[in-house]
Amino acid sequence: GRRLGRVARAAVGRARERVAACLGAEPGERVFTSGGSESDNWALRGVVAARGGGHVVTSAVEHPAVLETARALEREGRIRLTVVGVDRVGRVDPAEIERALAPDTVLASLMLANNEVGTLEPVAEVAEICRRRGVLVHTDAAQAVGKVPVDVRELGVDLLTVAGHKLYAPKGVGVLFVRRGVAIEPLI
C-alpha cells in the first residue's frame, strides 16, 4: 500500500511541474482545483475577500463562472461591478477597461480566448494598464491553454484559470495560477 502511495505522489508531483512549465509559472504558484468553474469562482471571491470588497471590472462575454460569480458578489453587496462591452468580433477595447477603472478597483477579469467565437482578448495590454493602477488581473485561459502559447509572465496576469478537461485531463481537474505574493482568501 505504501509503495502505491509513493508512486501516486510522484505522479502528482510530475503533473504539478508539467502544469507549471506549461504556463511559465513556478511550481508553488498553481493550485489544483475541481475544474475551471471552481478556479474562476476562487479567483474572484478570493481576491474580493482578501481586499475587503471594492470594484470589479469584467467583460460581457465572460464564461458564466466569471460573469455570474461577479453578479452574485454584486447582489451580495460585496462589490461594485462594471461589465464592459465588446466590438463586433467579440473583442474588448483595453481603453474601455482603463476608463472603467476607479480608485477602489481591486480586480479585472478578462478571458484569454472566447469559448464561442475564438476571439483572443488583449489580456497582456489590459494587465499592463491594470498593473500601473495596482489592480489585480485574472484571466480565464480555459479555451486557450494547449491551443495557443500561454505564459503567465508574458501575459503579466496575477491569476489564471485552466480547465483540465480541455487538455485531455480527467473531468474534475482544474488549476488556478496565483502569482507569488498575491493575497487570496480560501473558498473553504
Side-chain angles (χ1 to χ4, degrees):
R2 251 198 230 129
R3 193 184 68 78
L4 287 176
R6 283 195 296 272
V7 168
R9 185 175 182 181
V12 169
R14 283 193 303 278
R16 285 182 193 282
E17 285 167 16
R18 282 195 192 128
V19 168
C22 163
L23 301 175
E26 295 170 31
E29 291 183 312
R30 75 277 142 299
V31 182
F32 284 103
T33 65
S34 68
S37 292
E38 182 188 337
S39 294
D40 284 341
N41 268 267
W42 187 20
L44 272 68
R45 289 188 173 278
V47 165
V48 166
R51 292 271 180 112
H55 177 235
V56 172
V57 179
T58 192
S59 89
V61 295
E62 295 304 306
H63 186 278
V66 167
L67 205 46
E68 294 309 317
T69 300
R71 287 185 174 137
L73 284 164
E74 183 182 40
R75 279 193 309 275
E76 293 161 17
R78 310 270 304 285
I79 63 165
R80 274 189 320 107
L81 177 63
T82 300
V83 179
V84 299
V86 294
D87 66 15
R88 59 188 184 76
V89 296
R91 193 169 193 273
V92 167
D93 178 357
E96 199 170 336
I97 293 207
E98 187 164 24
R99 282 192 296 275
L101 298 179
D104 65 335
T105 307
V106 294
L107 180 70
S109 183
L110 181 63
M111 62 173 37
L112 190 50
N114 186 283
N115 53 312
E116 290 182 16
V117 292
T119 302
L120 291 175
E121 298 293 348
V123 171
E125 213 177 320
V126 166
E128 199 174 311
I129 290 165
C130 289
R131 190 177 317 107
R132 292 196 298 263
R133 303 276 289 269
V135 174
L136 294 177
V137 176
H138 165 253
T139 188
D140 181 333
Q143 293 294 336
V145 175
K147 298 177 184 84
V148 296
V150 175
D151 184 306
V152 293
R153 305 283 174 235
E154 282 178 23
L155 288 171
V157 295
D158 301 289
L159 304 119
L160 179 143
T161 291
V162 179
H165 71 275
K166 304 281 184 189
L167 292 164
Y168 312 106
K171 268 199 173 295
V173 177
V175 172
L176 181 63
F177 158 80
V178 182
R179 187 174 50 74
R180 191 177 304 290
V182 169
I184 181 169
E185 290 287 315
L187 280 180
I188 298 167

